[in-house]
Amino acid sequence: MDQYSATPGARDNLRKSISAVYEWALDREHLDPMKYQNPAKTIKRINKGSKGFYTCTIDDVRAYMKHHEPGTLTRRVMIVELCTAARREDLRLLGPFNEFSMDGQRWLQWTQSKKPNRVIETPMLPMLQEEVADVRDGVYCKTSRGTPLTHGTMENYVRGWFDQAGVKGSLHGVRKGLSSILPHLGATSYEIDVLLGHEMGSYETKVYVAQAERKELATSLSKKLQKVKW
């Protein structure tokens, strides 16, 4: 167990697995309960619950954008995230091949990597179109070698870039922050579900809100997002 001291989550998972094996063996009398006890029960957990990822505020994002200059990967990653709210594993792979036109407007479409693998469609905001205008192939957010960042590397980079700006934050924190900021701009819960790629409300809601309506909601949401001065 000591070798996992640097990774509390892994240590706690190992403790849980060991405990389960001992309980199984004791319940089925593979071990004599008079001679053996579950040693994992005497080991305390390190992680005793947390509040999860920090939720970025609009001031956090503004500080980030003010600190990092235009034309940098640092700024591009943030702009793509703000305009798509994509999960990091999807954000890293977005590029021109995800673009399509509808009703005279440029849109993005991608299939979420995370189950249930929903297809996401969202209008490209002017800020995003301007930022990626020079990208003709590959992905929007790439290394100096032209390859996509891994989602773990991207998350670590963004945390570091927030630190450089003197504020706390992460990609997931920005995604969470959008869901907190948008209600103040008048966005409905359905619009936020569309943005984040979540299941839309209850079962009854899913029956009445068809895929075509998701596009209408996405269009409405894009107009609200344009009101934010990052």
Side-chain angles (χ1 to χ4, degrees):
M1 297 289 287
D2 291 341
Q3 64 181 308
Y4 290 94
S5 59
T7 52
R11 179 186 180 278
D12 287 343
N13 287 335
L14 177 60
R15 169 194 168 278
K16 184 177 180 180
S17 297
I18 292 173
S19 180
V21 170
Y22 267 91
E23 289 300 313
W24 175 85
L26 289 167
D27 287 344
R28 287 161 178 75
E29 299 183 351
H30 293 300
L31 294 176
D32 185 347
M34 299 300 293
K35 295 181 179 180
Y36 297 95
Q37 293 183 344
N38 186 344
K41 286 188 174 181
T42 64
I43 302 173
K44 295 181 179 180
R45 291 180 57 194
I46 295 179
N47 287 335
K48 297 183 178 180
S50 67
K51 296 181 180 179
F53 282 85
Y54 169 74
T55 301
C56 294
T57 66
I58 193 168
D59 289 334
D60 294 330
V61 177
R62 283 172 174 163
Y64 180 106
M65 297 291 278
K66 182 178 180 180
H67 182 81
H68 297 292
E69 298 180 354
T72 59
L73 174 63
T74 312
R75 192 177 180 90
R76 174 164 295 182
V77 169
M78 182 57 60
I79 289 176
V80 177
E81 177 61 22
L82 290 172
C83 294
T84 65
R87 292 188 174 96
R88 59 188 182 182
E89 58 267 30
D90 298 323
L91 176 69
R92 60 181 285 269
L93 297 176
L94 291 180
F97 50 87
N98 295 105
E99 298 177 16
F100 70 100
S101 296
M102 183 172 62
D103 299 328
Q105 186 171 4
R106 290 169 65 188
W107 285 61
L108 283 176
Q109 180 190 78
W110 71 93
T111 301
Q112 289 183 316
S113 301
K114 187 176 181 179
K115 291 184 178 180
N117 310 115
R118 292 188 178 90
V119 175
I120 306 300
E121 294 180 335
T122 187
M124 293 182 69
L125 298 179
M127 179 171 69
L128 177 58
Q129 293 187 41
E130 181 180 353
E131 176 63 31
V132 301
D134 63 328
V135 182
R136 297 289 182 266
D137 53 27
V139 297
Y140 297 140
C141 304
K142 62 186 72 174
T143 67
S144 58
R145 300 189 303 274
T147 57
L149 296 166
T150 66
H151 68 264
T153 297
M154 181 178 285
E155 180 65 70
N156 290 334
Y157 278 178
V158 172
R159 287 174 183 268
W161 294 334
F162 266 109
D163 288 342
Q164 292 171 16
V167 291
K168 186 177 181 180
S170 66
L171 271 179
H172 190 67
V174 173
R175 182 176 155 87
K176 288 180 64 178
L178 284 170
S179 64
S180 298
I181 294 168
L182 289 171
H184 297 289
L185 300 176
T188 68
S189 60
Y190 294 153
E191 289 173 332
I192 296 171
D193 284 340
V194 169
L195 176 69
L196 300 181
H198 288 170
E199 182 175 330
M200 294 181 63
S202 64
Y203 173 78
E204 290 78 9
T205 300
K206 289 188 291 182
V207 172
Y208 295 107
V209 182
Q211 184 66 32
E213 189 172 357
R214 292 180 71 96
K215 293 181 180 179
E216 294 177 5
L217 291 171
T219 300
S220 174
L221 175 63
S222 70
K223 294 177 181 178
K224 292 183 173 69
L225 278 172
Q226 291 183 56
K227 298 177 183 179
V228 183
K229 303 298 182 182
W230 300 109

